Amino acid sequence: MTERSLVLVKPDAFARGLTGEVIRRIEAKGYTLVALKVLTPTRDMLAQHYAEHEGKPFYEGLLEFMASGPVTAVCIEGVRCIPGFRSLAGKTDPTEALPGTIRGDLGRDWGQGATHNIVHGSDSPESAARELGIWFPELG
Ligand code: DAT
Ligand code: MG
């Protein structure tokens, strides 16, 4: 039942000094930090990561935003941490995300809708394995 998920703390959170607050919430929830790195992603990594969204109206803006500054990639571990982190994160659109969630408490619309939404979390075991391979190839 123990599984791993990929969390990305996005450039908006980094720029606002909220990376530690996001990681604090993951730790407070009880998930284990397996690996963590700060990097500014290449467009190639982002195209792989967001392949399912290619061609959507927000795709170019999303890649531009995600490449605009440092991202903190975190591999987390725990029983049901994939849905568990999605619950912590809240709805995709930070305007609609409930208070108490990461996006609801820390995010808002800065004029680009849901793009600046603080965090990414894998949405299934298959996505987690695929995404961890992009961001943490060294974990195997
Ligand atoms: P999530 O990150 O909640 O899994 P997603 O996979 O549907 O959401 O979309 C990936 C990211 O793309 C999301 O975190 C923010 C951005 N995004 C999604 N829908 C959007 C929209 N309608 N307008 C702007 N950005 C959007
Ligand atoms: Mg998604």
Side-chain angles (χ1 to χ4, degrees), residues 38-136:
V38 180
L39 73 165
T40 299
T42 63
R43 197 183 152 98
D44 183 57
M45 290 174 74
L46 294 169
Q48 283 185 58
H49 178 81
Y50 284 122
E52 69 178 297
H53 298 300
E54 195 182 350
K56 293 184 185 172
F58 59 83
Y59 177 80
E60 285 301 328
L62 176 63
L63 261 57
E64 188 178 333
F65 162 62
M66 289 297 291
S68 69
V71 164
T72 302
V74 191
C75 173
I76 67 169
E77 186 174 83
V79 174
R80 300 185 71 204
C81 72
I82 294 170
F85 179 78
R86 300 272 299 181
S87 293
L88 283 187
K91 288 182 72 171
T92 303
D93 182 345
T95 298
E96 295 178 9
L98 293 176
T101 65
I102 291 168
R103 288 162 168 169
D105 286 348
L106 307 179
R108 54 160 278 197
D109 191 338
W110 300 89
Q112 288 182 73
T115 300
H116 294 63
N117 66 355
I118 307 287
V119 286
H120 165 83
S122 305
D123 64 10
S124 68
E126 295 71 26
S127 298
R130 190 183 70 80
E131 293 169 1
L132 285 165
I134 298 168
W135 297 86
F136 291 101

